[in-house]
Amino acid sequence: MILIIKLMPPYCKKGAPDEQKIELADQTVSLRELAVRLNRDWKDILDYPLVDRRGLLTAEFTLNGNSVSPDQLLKDGDKVTIIPYICGG
């Protein structure tokens, strides 16, 4: 399965491409599973973790431009955008 991953700041390291094409051997993977895998495998690309120490996601995901649950299963050719949660005060 081939996916396109777009990282919004602060996830992408300065100077690194914000969009990556990746190939997964798995035919079934959820957004949550993808986040855990990228958090582990993309240490040289990510400037901010996708999963915190407690195992909670630090981002919102869109799939092909639509907001979806982290449990959404991915299909070949999907475009995943990883967007930080925004908070303020």
Side-chain angles (χ1 to χ4, degrees):
M1 165 171 35
I2 296 176
L3 302 171
I4 298 169
I5 310 295
K6 179 161 180 74
L7 299 168
M8 302 301 287
Y11 293 105
C12 189
K13 282 189 178 180
K14 192 171 189 167
D18 65 350
E19 194 168 289
Q20 303 270 342
K21 190 179 282 191
I22 64 168
E23 186 170 353
L24 301 176
D26 314 50
Q27 292 304 311
T28 305
V29 65
S30 71
L31 281 168
R32 184 180 310 278
E33 293 165 330
L34 176 67
V36 169
R37 185 178 297 185
L38 294 178
N39 200 61
R40 180 190 67 224
D41 297 344
W42 279 18
K43 292 192 185 304
D44 58 331
I45 295 172
L46 292 174
D47 201 27
Y48 192 81
L50 294 172
V51 181
D52 71 12
R53 292 176 295 171
R54 298 170 293 167
L56 300 174
L57 298 177
T58 65
E60 185 73 31
F61 298 88
T62 64
L63 183 60
N64 304 318
N66 299 303
S67 186
V68 293
S69 160
D71 297 319
Q72 175 71 41
L73 295 178
L74 301 170
K75 300 182 306 273
D76 186 49
D78 279 343
K79 181 174 183 177
V80 177
T81 302
I82 301 172
I83 306 165
Y85 288 127
I86 297 174
C87 62

